[in-house]
């Protein structure tokens, strides 16, 4: 049975295509202002916060800026450190969550410039921000999927300033998304049959892909109620690795410049008994990881853009497991997702 979540994952390609038609000059202007600011802070909650963390890589690489990243719920901590030279980029799909409303009101009272990234044009965030960047992703009722991609694209464009190199990478993205969805279909369905019967597993990624692993695990928890822990491969090896026992499932996510060390870590985890699953833009190249547990995605050779493609199989995994278990894939047990006009 088809679900809204499945369709929203598939819609990611259309979101990428539409974004490619965005006004380049707007991102050139925003990039100039970013560079002129004394302090840049990326802020959000849940998937939006993860998007901020992932985008930190692009800001450092493309703009030479190291932005602070913090949860919207911690906004009051800025009382004595934010001033009129501070720029806060506040991300919220709905623009109307409790944390978002509190944050934007606090920041405006303290004279801080706020840029809002949201999917809802008449939300409190959109109406109160000094400048609003709309995701234009269409209505999204399930977990953050296409709006997550839209958020990354906006943040990447800000960091790159709409450069020619960015636009070339952006032009390749819809094809890569389409091919990723196609090659993942059957293998992810098979993985769901196995992983859906376990009570826990880990999702790990090296370097910038550590946060992508966190986002994938977050969606798995939201939809399947399984304990899926996402973190950096390197951090996992410093303490968490002690939980590994024979047969513990671990999904490793890798692409672009994280491939080399990720292969090494994945092979080591398999050597001590973990049941390793590989998602990457090249083969795992390990005899310990069989082909039925290896998913090779179309390569983009770009760490920032690859964050958008590599998270898609994890979203598909969550949808497959939830559907297999007969759960309400498009609803939530305890989360109150705000969905409005878009």
């Amino acid at each position: 049975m088809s679900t809204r979540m499945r369709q929203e994952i598939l819609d990611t390609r259309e979101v990428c295509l539409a974004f490619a038609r965005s006004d380049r000059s707007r991102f050139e202007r925003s990039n100039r202002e970013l560079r002129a600011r004394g302090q840049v802070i990326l802020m959000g909650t849940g998937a939006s916060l993860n998007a901020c963390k992932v985008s930190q890589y692009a800001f450092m690489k493309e703009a030479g800026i190291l932005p602070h990243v913090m949860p919207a719920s911690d906004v009051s901590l800025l009382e004595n450190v934010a001033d009129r030279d501070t720029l806060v980029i506040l991300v919220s799909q709905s623009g109307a969550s409790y944390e978002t409303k509190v944050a934007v009101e606090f920041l405006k009272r303290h004279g801080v410039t706020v840029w809002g990234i949201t999917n809802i044009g008449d939300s409190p965030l959109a109406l109160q921000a000094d400048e609003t960047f709309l995701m234009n992703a269409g209505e999204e009722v399930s977990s953050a999927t296409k709006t997550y991609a839209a958020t990354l694209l906006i943040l990447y464009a800000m960091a790159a300033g709409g450069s020619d190199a960015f636009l070339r990478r952006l032009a390749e993205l819809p094809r890569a998304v389409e091919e990723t969805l196609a090659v993942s279909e059957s293998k992810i369905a098979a993985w769901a049959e196995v992983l859906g019967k376990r009570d826990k597993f880990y999702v790990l990624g090296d370097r910038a892909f550590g946060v992508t692993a966190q986002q994938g695990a977050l969606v798995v928890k939201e939809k399947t109620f399984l304990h899926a822990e996402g973190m950096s491969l390197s951090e996992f090896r410093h303490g968490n690795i002690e939980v590994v026992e024979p047969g513990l499932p671990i999904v490793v996510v890798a692409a672009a410049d994280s491939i080399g060390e990720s292969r090494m870590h994945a092979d080591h985890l398999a050597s001590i008994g973990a049941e390793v699953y590989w998602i990457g833009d090249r083969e795992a190249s390990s005899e310990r990881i069989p082909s039925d547990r290896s998913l090779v995605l179309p390569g983009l050779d770009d760490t920032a853009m690859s964050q958008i493609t590599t998270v898609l199989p994890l979203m598909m995994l969550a949808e497959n497991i939830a559907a297999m278990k007969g759960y309400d894939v498009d609803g939530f047990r305890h989360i109150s997702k705000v969905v409005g006009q878009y």
Side-chain angles (χ1 to χ4, degrees), residues 245-290:
E245 55 190 18
L248 175 69
I250 296 179
V251 181
V252 174
V253 184
D257 63 5
S258 78
I259 284 290
E261 290 188 13
S262 297
R263 282 170 165 166
M264 177 187 70
H265 290 318
D267 189 62
H268 176 68
L269 291 169
S271 74
I272 60 174
E275 183 180 283
V276 176
Y277 295 77
W278 172 266
I279 298 175
D281 60 5
R282 272 154 282 180
E283 293 281 359
S285 299
S286 170
E287 295 179 357
R288 298 185 177 96
I289 305 173

Side-chain angles (χ1 to χ4, degrees), residues 86-104:
T86 299
L87 170 64
V88 172
I89 302 175
L90 182 54
V91 183
S92 170
Q93 179 275 142
S94 69
S97 67
Y98 171 78
E99 293 83 1
T100 299
K101 289 188 284 188
V102 169
V104 72

